[in-house]
Amino acid sequence: MIELEGLPELVDPVLIAAFEGWNDAGEASSGVIAHLESAWKAEPLIALDPDDYYDFQVTRPVVEMSDGLTQSIVWPTTRLLRARPPGVERDVVLLRGIEPNMRWRSFCDDIIYICRELGIELAVMLGALLNDSPHTRPVPILGGATNAGLARSTNLELSRYEGPTGIVGVLQHSFGKAGLDAISLWASVPHYVAQPPNPKATLALLRRLEDVLEIPMPLGDLDEEARAWERGVDELASQDSEVAEYVKELEERKDAAELPEASGDAIAAEFERYLRRRDRDTDS
């Protein structure tokens, strides 16, 4: 078990976690953590020992130049950082890692141990998967929760997925077995434009995260970046008739599958988000 010394006392902390690799199509979920780390000026808390969980022939360390002359080695690992969002009376712990290559059960035990020491009782796991959703439509966000009460309170469903899983699924399951609440949010990334970054999917995750946690999320330039990304994909698709026809087929299939009430729910959720932001701006 890892040794923890000198950790600060946090106020009603919540964990937001994402991992690079299999769970991170278009780097959409790790992009959320990177964005929040920068926007909230998060401070390091602890890093796991990379020797315990990474095969360096599979996930290799990286050489960096610090002053143009001195080389340093950055080892693959999982780090936790502390942030206090402006105007919010609680701490947020950001977990940013690379999916481990081995000893997943011990890895999850370490994360849960750290969370207990920090007083974390709720974790939100972020992921992104490749899907046949068209890039021209709102990004679908799938979700799940560790118990029915939590699912109802956050308007999510209990997962019924069966099949291969990544560290996000294993860690969420471990949280549930340990008696801690955990939520997962997954963005659907178009498989025909999978290369990172995907700011539209990152933005969709941030907005859903704001709804679930009721914590204002800094969006920065993501709105404009998402529009620019979509325009760029439109241009690429227009240059290939087969791709353009495929996108049109996906659009028609998506539009036919969506019920009118689903669109009404989306409008209502967007209006509620607007009211919350207006009230916060008024209070400040």
Side-chain angles (χ1 to χ4, degrees):
M1 184 60 70
I2 57 176
E3 297 292 333
L4 301 179
E5 294 183 1
L7 288 179
E9 185 174 342
L10 304 184
V11 178
D12 190 22
V14 60
L15 178 74
I16 304 174
F19 295 87
E20 299 173 21
W22 193 82
N23 314 266
D24 192 28
E27 296 180 0
S29 56
S30 62
V32 170
I33 304 299
H35 177 80
L36 294 178
E37 180 182 344
S38 174
W40 285 341
K41 298 178 172 58
E43 301 175 349
L45 276 176
I46 190 171
L48 273 62
D49 187 341
D51 288 349
D52 292 336
Y53 301 116
Y54 295 95
D55 179 345
F56 301 135
Q57 290 184 323
V58 176
T59 307
R60 292 187 177 271
V62 176
V63 177
E64 291 187 350
M65 303 293 291
S66 57
D67 55 9
L69 296 173
T70 306
Q71 290 183 332
S72 60
I73 301 293
V74 178
W75 296 93
T77 189
T78 295
R79 296 178 172 85
L80 289 89
L81 305 98
R82 173 194 185 181
R84 174 63 68 89
V88 177
E89 295 302 317
R90 73 184 304 184
D91 287 302
V92 175
V93 175
L94 303 174
L95 185 155
R96 185 178 185 180
I98 302 171
E99 185 175 65
N101 303 122
M102 52 195 177
R103 302 188 185 95
W104 282 21
R105 286 177 290 188
S106 295
F107 178 87
C108 292
D109 288 343
D110 277 352
I111 297 298
I112 290 170
Y113 172 64
I114 294 171
C115 287
R116 289 194 187 280
E117 290 297 304
L118 293 173
I120 293 170
E121 297 182 351
L122 172 64
V124 182
M125 319 288 180
L126 304 178
L129 49 85
L130 296 178
N131 206 322
D132 59 356
S133 55
H135 73 278
T136 54
R137 297 296 185 264
V139 176
I141 301 293
L142 310 176
T146 49
N147 61 75
L150 181 62
R152 285 193 298 271
S153 67
T154 53
N155 196 29
L156 295 171
E157 295 182 1
L158 292 175
S159 175
R160 291 176 174 80
Y161 170 77
E162 293 181 330
T165 189
I167 193 61
V168 170
V170 173
L171 186 56
Q172 179 180 348
H173 178 74
S174 299
F175 264 78
K177 288 183 64 177
L180 299 175
D181 288 339
I183 295 165
S184 61
L185 301 174
W186 290 83
S188 295
V189 172
H191 65 85
Y192 58 88
V193 57
Q195 64 271 24
N198 188 319
K200 186 173 181 177
T202 294
L203 178 63
L205 280 171
L206 274 169
R207 285 175 166 162
R208 190 66 179 95
L209 192 59
E210 181 175 74
D211 293 339
V212 168
L213 295 179
E214 297 184 347
I215 293 175
M217 295 291 156
L219 302 182
D221 296 328
L222 278 174
D223 263 318
E224 178 54 37
E225 291 173 8
R227 288 192 292 268
W229 176 86
E230 187 168 333
R231 289 194 299 269
V233 180
D234 284 342
E235 184 177 346
L236 289 174
S238 68
Q239 298 172 7
D240 188 317
S241 59
E242 290 186 3
V243 173
E245 184 62 29
Y246 178 65
V247 172
K248 182 180 178 181
E249 179 184 334
L250 291 180
E251 291 172 338
E252 293 172 350
R253 189 188 311 167
K254 178 73 172 176
D255 295 342
E258 287 186 341
L259 298 175
E261 53 264 34
S263 298
D265 290 343
I267 294 171
E270 185 64 32
F271 184 63
E272 290 174 0
R273 186 182 297 116
Y274 161 75
L275 291 177
R276 285 198 301 271
R277 285 189 174 274
R278 187 193 64 177
D279 291 343
R280 284 195 296 266
D281 293 340
T282 301
D283 294 339
S284 61

